[in-house]
Amino acid sequence: QVQVVESGGGLVQPGGSLKLSCVVSGIMFRIFGMGWYRQGPGKQRELVAHITSSETTYYADSVKGRFTISRDNAKNMIYLQMNNLKPEETAVYYCNAVQPFSNWGQGTQVAVSS
């Protein structure tokens, strides 16, 4: 069974940075395109960045140039480096496959506030 555990969230001031981590178990991780999603208060969950099995990366327009997604297949992990964070990016951040598994992790809360 797929298990996903996200970590690294927290409270940060506008303009600050955070690095999120996600470890995935129960799958042949290296063959999956993986992504970071977020769901803000009263908003739908959205895909903000993803990385293919060949490590090509894609970003939502709103985060281009500020967020960097990466993966470590040896550790079954993906990461999201987030720079210059904005208050409207306050959300619970989740990782999952690009074609999401039915099991979602609990996510990690990111709060951007002064």
Side-chain angles (χ1 to χ4, degrees):
Q1 186 175 358
V2 178
Q3 288 192 322
V4 177
V5 179
E6 303 93 344
S7 62
L11 174 63
V12 63
Q13 291 187 341
S17 298
L18 283 174
K19 186 174 183 177
L20 307 183
S21 301
C22 171
V23 60
V24 184
S25 59
I27 59 168
M28 191 176 291
F29 177 79
R30 61 180 173 83
I31 70 172
F32 285 87
M34 296 296 299
W36 282 98
Y37 300 76
R38 67 186 178 193
Q39 186 167 18
K43 298 180 181 179
Q44 290 191 329
R45 189 174 292 167
E46 62 172 339
L47 178 64
V48 296
H50 74 268
I51 184 167
T52 69
S53 57
S54 57
E55 301 198 19
T56 302
T57 57
Y58 299 90
Y59 299 93
D61 286 344
S62 60
V63 307
K64 279 181 183 175
R66 299 185 297 116
F67 288 15
T68 303
I69 188 171
S70 59
R71 67 189 298 160
D72 183 339
N73 289 338
K75 296 181 179 180
N76 281 20
M77 294 191 72
I78 65 167
Y79 306 95
L80 187 68
Q81 176 67 46
M82 305 186 295
N83 297 327
N84 193 18
L85 282 159
K86 304 175 181 180
E88 57 265 35
E89 294 178 313
T90 293
V92 180
Y93 285 70
Y94 302 88
C95 74
N96 207 321
V98 175
Q99 294 182 315
F101 308 123
S102 58
N103 285 359
W104 288 82
Q106 294 200 341
T108 186
Q109 175 72 54
V110 172
V112 185
S113 174
S114 55

